[in-house]
Amino acid sequence: MPIVKNVSRAVSQLLQSSGCGCGISIVPVRCIGVSPRQVASDASFHSVSFSESDHPRVLITGGLGQLGVGLAKLLRKRFGKNNVILSDIRKPADHVFHSGPFIYSDILDYKNLREIVVNNRITWLFHYSALLSAVGEANVPLARAVNITGLHNVLDIAAEHNLRLFVPSTIGAFGPTSPRDPTPDLCIQRPRTIYGVSKVHAELMGEYYHYRYGLDFRCLRYPGIISADSQPGGGTTDYAVQIFHDAMKTGKFQCNLKPDTRLPMMYIDDCLKATLEVMEAPAEALSMRTYNISAMSFTPEELAQEVQKHVPELQVTYNVDEVRQAIADSWPMNFDDSNARRDWGWKHDYDLPEEESRG
Ligand SMILES: NC(=O)c1ccc[n+]([C@@H]2O[C@H](COP(=O)([O-])OP(=O)(O)OC[C@H]3O[C@@H](n4cnc5c(N)ncnc54)[C@H](O)[C@@H]3O)[C@@H](O)[C@H]2O)c1
Ligand SMILES: C[C@@H](O)[C@H](N)C(=O)O
């Protein structure tokens, strides 16, 4: 009998909501259209620190995807509505537009992004823009531009303006030659998707800027994220979101992965909580700058069984998408997040009752 790890509480919740400071001081400062220039060696490039009463001024790029609106909501509760600006290249829904500041920002437009950071006195940047694994394979040139060139723009602006920068990585940053069960923080990373390659690049570039220029770069490798009130953006783990929408709307769900495909997953509230926690962690607590975070791990068959406990009439069929299946088969099955738990106290909230998790 397979063990469904840590999924029960998340399923109930989802169904309810469906109705270095190293001191080396040469920083790249991009002039429009030219290579980075270097500035004086005695300048300080550590991120701004805040007193108790002083909130960060936050910008979220790619904020209209599956995760950004929820992140803005959490950050606005903590730092105040007007201190958190959502941005994207898409048009926001009315309720999003009226929930707090929104601005158009294409991360490929370096000048515009810099203007937004300067004019709004941004101090923290959450860089969510990306093309995910499946859509990335369908349009490699665009994925390369958004995920790699866009990241370069963000890194340069963050370094130039002393921002604290969060960039999410993913289970997709590992590949078929990585240990899969469990996958530790430090191991072979040879992903075979443009998405994975771009995320390993982001991890390495962010860490390089941290050690080379003192950029306060923080990165979490997210598992597949499940949510009820936001749509997934074209990834391999999308099935685990779609099943909740289909269970409530049609009572029928066609899964595009094989029933026994095990992947690490996390409920969105845990993901956003971890993101805020790692950004608020004191720099001394961080022995690394890129951490795995983990909560649960399940297969489509196990998730379907769990959803059927709440929606017994749900019919599940399988129609495997070869591209997504090949990607999933190269990704971790379980994530080792012991470093995050030790360093900054990471702990997920969405868990199975004890007796089920013991199997
Ligand atoms: N959702 C997950 O399961 C998951 C898992 C691991 C990591 N992540 C990472 O978290 C971040 C957010 O994920 P998500 O699921 O919300 O992604 P998503 O695909 O739903 O949203 C990405 C957003 O980026 C925007 N975008 C695309 N091109 C852009 C450009 N040129 N300029 C500005 N914005 C642009 C899109 O319009 C979209 O709204 C991504 O970096 C992703 O890699 C997500
Ligand atoms: C796992 C994650 O990075 C994303 N949901 C994808 O499947 O591409």
Side-chain angles (χ1 to χ4, degrees):
M1 176 81 175
I3 302 165
V4 183
K5 283 191 188 158
N6 308 339
V7 73
S8 281
R9 199 170 154 223
V11 168
S12 306
Q13 186 77 18
L14 281 157
L15 287 167
Q16 273 166 34
S17 33
S18 300
C20 140
C22 64
I24 298 178
S25 49
I26 303 170
V27 74
V29 176
R30 190 100 65 100
C31 297
I32 310 309
V34 298
S35 311
R37 80 179 153 85
Q38 299 185 332
V39 299
S41 61
D42 58 348
S44 166
F45 297 109
H46 299 278
S47 93
V48 177
S49 60
F50 304 97
S51 71
E52 290 293 315
S53 59
D54 207 0
H55 287 317
R57 296 269 307 155
V58 175
L59 176 67
I60 303 171
T61 69
L64 295 184
Q66 186 193 354
L67 306 184
V69 173
L71 180 68
K73 196 171 165 195
L74 179 72
L75 298 179
R76 283 173 180 156
K77 240 186 238 163
R78 186 151 186 89
F79 302 130
K81 180 170 150 179
N82 292 323
N83 284 322
V84 179
I85 303 174
L86 258 182
S87 73
D88 207 301
I89 53 173
R90 295 196 275 154
K91 195 167 149 189
D94 282 354
H95 73 278
V96 174
F97 187 71
H98 293 298
S99 65
F102 176 85
I103 200 162
Y104 172 89
S105 172
D106 180 345
I107 56 157
L108 296 175
D109 184 344
Y110 176 85
K111 184 169 174 281
N112 172 250
L113 189 58
R114 188 163 71 166
E115 242 170 59
I116 291 169
V117 165
V118 169
N119 288 348
N120 294 285
R121 299 178 302 113
I122 297 301
T123 54
W124 285 17
L125 199 158
F126 293 78
H127 178 47
Y128 267 9
S129 309
L131 260 65
L132 303 190
S133 57
V135 292
E137 289 312 291
N139 191 343
V140 173
L142 184 62
R144 197 180 66 174
V146 173
N147 296 9
I148 298 179
T149 308
L151 172 89
H152 292 171
N153 289 342
V154 166
L155 280 173
D156 283 351
I157 289 166
E160 181 185 1
H161 297 284
N162 310 329
L163 308 186
R164 185 170 296 184
L165 174 64
F166 179 84
V167 179
S169 186
T170 163
I171 50 174
F174 297 94
T177 51
S178 307
R180 296 182 64 213
D181 191 14
T183 306
D185 279 306
L186 296 177
C187 63
I188 290 174
Q189 287 178 267
R190 287 290 180 277
R192 293 197 183 156
T193 59
I194 186 63
Y195 178 60
V197 169
S198 69
K199 289 294 186 178
V200 178
H201 179 74
E203 294 176 8
L204 292 174
M205 285 295 287
E207 290 182 11
Y208 175 75
Y209 270 52
H210 172 66
Y211 293 115
R212 182 74 174 79
Y213 304 121
L215 173 67
D216 194 349
F217 170 81
R218 301 174 185 219
C219 174
L220 297 178
R221 294 193 192 101
Y222 294 164
I225 305 303
I226 49 179
S227 60
D229 50 10
S230 56
Q231 293 289 341
T236 302
T237 59
D238 288 9
Y239 89 84
V241 179
Q242 198 58 45
I243 189 171
F244 294 100
H245 292 284
D246 290 359
M248 300 314 289
K249 276 190 201 137
T250 64
K252 288 186 181 145
F253 172 64
Q254 191 176 76
C255 184
N256 54 21
L257 293 182
K258 289 182 189 163
D260 61 349
T261 309
R262 182 173 299 282
L263 291 167
M265 298 279 186
M266 181 176 284
Y267 182 51
I268 188 167
D269 288 13
D270 273 339
C271 165
L272 301 179
K273 182 183 77 150
T275 303
L276 178 55
E277 281 177 1
V278 78
M279 282 295 270
E280 292 192 314
E284 321 78 75
L286 305 176
S287 67
M288 311 188 304
R289 288 286 160 162
T290 302
Y291 289 92
N292 292 350
I293 50 165
S294 175
M296 57 183 116
S297 180
F298 55 73
T299 67
E301 191 171 37
E302 290 167 348
L303 180 62
Q305 281 166 8
E306 199 59 40
V307 177
Q308 279 162 339
K309 287 183 191 164
H310 303 265
V311 188
E313 64 279 12
L314 175 66
Q315 291 170 29
V316 180
T317 53
Y318 293 88
N319 183 14
V320 172
D321 172 326
E322 295 305 332
V323 173
R324 282 184 167 82
Q325 188 64 48
I327 294 173
D329 289 342
S330 74
W331 282 1
M333 294 191 283
N334 282 294
F335 237 17
D336 174 353
D337 63 354
S338 48
N339 289 317
R341 287 174 194 266
R342 183 202 59 218
D343 282 4
W344 47 276
W346 160 240
K347 191 173 175 301
H348 62 279
D349 286 335
Y350 289 86
D351 221 334
L352 258 194
E354 280 295 303
E355 58 282 3
E356 277 185 72
S357 56
R358 281 195 213 105

